[in-house]
Amino acid sequence: MTIVTTAEPTLTLPAEWRDFLALTKPRVMTLVVFTGLCGMLAAPVAINPILGFTAILCIALGAGAAGALNQWYEADLDAKMKRTLARPLPAGRMDKQSALHFGVGLAIFSVLLMGVGVNWIAAAILTVSILFYVLIYTVWLKRRTPQNIVIGGAAGAFPPLIGWAAATGDIALLPVLLFALIFLWTPPHFWALALFVKTDYANAGVPMLPVVAGERTTRSQIGLYTIPMAIAAIAPWPLGLTGAIYGIAAIVLTGIFALLAVQVATRTTQAEDAMKPEKRLFAWSILYLFAMFGALVVDRWVFA
Amino acid sequence: MTEPNETEIRARQRSRARVVALLLGGFALLMFAITIVKIQQGWQ
C-alpha cells in the first residue's frame, strides 16, 4: 500500500466584496441605467413601478456582468494600461476563475430575473446585449480592428431598447432611433478620448484608430460620424414620434456637438498641444447624451 | 508577500457572507413584491 501525501492546501485570501463590485464597472453603469430608464419612461405605456425597478435592476446587473466578463478576458491588457492597472485582476486581488464565475452567474441571473419578472422580449434583448459586448466586442473585435468601438458601441446602445421593451413588450421606431443615436455617438465620443490618451492604448497594443490610421483619419472620422448621429438625434421630431421640446433641444444640443466636432475634425495637433478642443468634445459628448435623453422624457411627460 | 493569516481570511469571509445575506434578503423581498404585482395584474 502506498501512502500518498498531498501538500497542505495553502490558505488564500478571498477577494473582498468591493472587488466584485469594482468588476461590474459601476461608473459605466450610470449611463446605461440612465438611458435604460429614459427608454422606459419614453414608452407610451406606463410600467408598474416594482416591475420598472426590476427591469432597471436587470439592465444594471446585465451591464455589470458584461463588465466583469470583459475584465476577466482582458486582465492581461488591463495590466498594461495605467488607467486599468489597479483593477482587481491585474492588481492580483482576485483570481481569474472567481471573476469568470461571478460574471457568468450574474449574466444568467439578470436575464432570468428579467424574463420571469418583466417579460421575455426584454430578457432576449438583454441577452443579446451581454453576448454582443462580451463576444463580439471584447473577444472578437477589440484587439483586431480599429473599428472596434464602432461595433462595440452597439452594445452600449441596447439599454433604451430594453427599457422600452420592458414597458411595452415590443419594439418600435423611436427606441430603434435612440439605439442609432447612441450607436453613432460612440465613435466621436471615444475617438475624442483616444486622441488625448492614445499613448496608453498604444502601449497596450489596442488598435485604436489614432494609433493605427493616424490622427488625421481619426479627426475626419469624428466629423463624418457626427453627420448620421445628428440625423438620428433630430429625426424623431419630424417623424412625429416626439414633440417640439425634444425637437428644439435636439437641434440646439446636437448643433453644439457638431460645432465642437468640426473644431476637432479641422485642426491638427501642435507641439505641446493641450488638446483642449478634444477634451471639450469628450466632456460635452457625455453631457449631451444625458441632456438628450432628459429632454425626451420631459417631452413625453408634457405631451403625454 | 506574507501569507494571509487565518483571522484575516475569516474576517474577509464574514464580510462577504454579510453582503451575500443582505443581497439574498433583498432578492426575497423583490420576488415577493413582483409576485404581488403579478397577482394584482391577473385580477384586473
Side-chain angles (χ1 to χ4, degrees):
Chain A
M1 192 178 134
T2 51
I3 298 165
V4 180
T5 53
T6 51
E8 274 283 303
T10 48
L11 291 172
T12 47
L13 195 60
E16 256 194 287
W17 66 267
R18 286 179 194 85
D19 284 329
F20 284 99
L21 184 66
L23 223 48
T24 63
K25 302 190 182 176
R27 271 202 302 178
V28 176
M29 222 187 258
T30 327
L31 197 63
V32 168
V33 165
F34 180 75
T35 54
L37 184 66
C38 289
M40 183 188 286
L41 295 176
V45 189
I47 187 170
N48 176 287
I50 302 276
L51 300 186
F53 169 80
T54 308
I56 296 300
L57 179 72
C58 291
I59 293 175
L61 294 180
L69 291 169
N70 170 276
Q71 289 192 42
W72 163 74
Y73 189 78
E74 291 190 340
D76 61 320
L77 205 77
D78 286 347
K80 293 182 197 153
M81 295 203 289
K82 217 166 49 198
R83 185 174 64 88
T84 51
L85 193 61
R87 285 178 175 175
L89 289 172
R93 294 195 306 273
M94 185 187 287
D95 61 303
K96 276 192 86 174
Q97 206 181 27
S98 301
L100 175 65
H101 291 174
F102 176 69
V104 172
L106 198 59
I108 294 172
F109 176 77
S110 67
V111 168
L112 287 181
L113 182 59
M114 183 73 100
V116 173
V118 184
N119 66 58
W120 288 100
I121 303 277
I125 309 172
L126 183 64
T127 311
V128 171
S129 73
I130 297 170
L131 292 177
F132 200 96
Y133 185 74
V134 176
L135 298 180
I136 307 219
Y137 173 67
T138 306
V139 176
W140 184 30
L141 292 171
K142 188 166 177 180
R143 301 190 202 204
R144 280 188 180 79
T145 158
Q147 294 294 316
N148 45 19
I149 54 107
V150 178
I151 315 291
F158 280 107
L161 216 53
I162 304 171
W164 181 287
T168 63
D170 63 20
I171 294 167
L173 182 58
L174 182 60
V176 171
L177 283 170
L178 298 177
F179 175 90
L181 170 63
I182 304 180
F183 176 56
L184 295 163
W185 162 92
T186 312
H189 165 75
F190 268 112
W191 284 332
L193 174 74
L195 278 174
F196 61 88
V197 293
K198 74 177 164 199
T199 45
D200 221 3
Y201 280 114
N203 291 341
V206 178
M208 285 303 275
L209 200 62
V211 180
V212 178
E215 199 192 297
R216 187 66 261 143
T217 311
T218 310
R219 291 181 183 279
S220 319
Q221 295 278 322
I222 287 176
L224 285 175
Y225 270 97
T226 305
I227 301 166
M229 186 209 80
I231 296 170
I234 298 166
W237 188 31
L239 287 174
L241 302 171
T242 64
I245 294 179
Y246 174 83
I248 292 163
I251 290 170
V252 174
L253 296 167
T254 310
I256 298 171
F257 191 110
L259 276 177
L260 296 172
V262 167
Q263 272 178 13
V264 171
T266 53
R267 74 189 282 272
T268 40
T269 311
Q270 309 296 319
E272 305 283 320
D273 203 315
M275 304 297 266
K276 278 220 175 106
E278 292 72 18
K279 287 175 183 165
R280 252 200 313 264
L281 175 63
F282 179 71
W284 175 255
S285 68
I286 298 171
L287 196 67
Y288 170 78
L289 214 57
F290 275 105
M292 286 287 287
F293 278 84
L296 175 69
V297 172
V298 171
D299 182 278
R300 277 284 163 159
W301 281 346
V302 173
F303 293 106
Chain B
M1 208 177 113
T2 53
E3 279 278 304
N5 64 37
E6 186 147 354
T7 336
E8 213 176 339
I9 292 172
R10 294 284 171 255
R12 199 162 276 193
Q13 283 173 338
R14 247 196 315 277
S15 87
R16 272 173 64 157
R18 240 177 247 138
V19 173
V20 171
L22 277 175
L23 290 176
L24 275 175
F27 177 61
L29 279 178
L30 182 65
M31 286 312 283
F32 176 72
I34 290 172
T35 309
I36 299 294
V37 171
K38 295 267 176 191
I39 293 169
Q40 280 174 343
Q41 284 182 342
W43 284 341
Q44 283 160 12

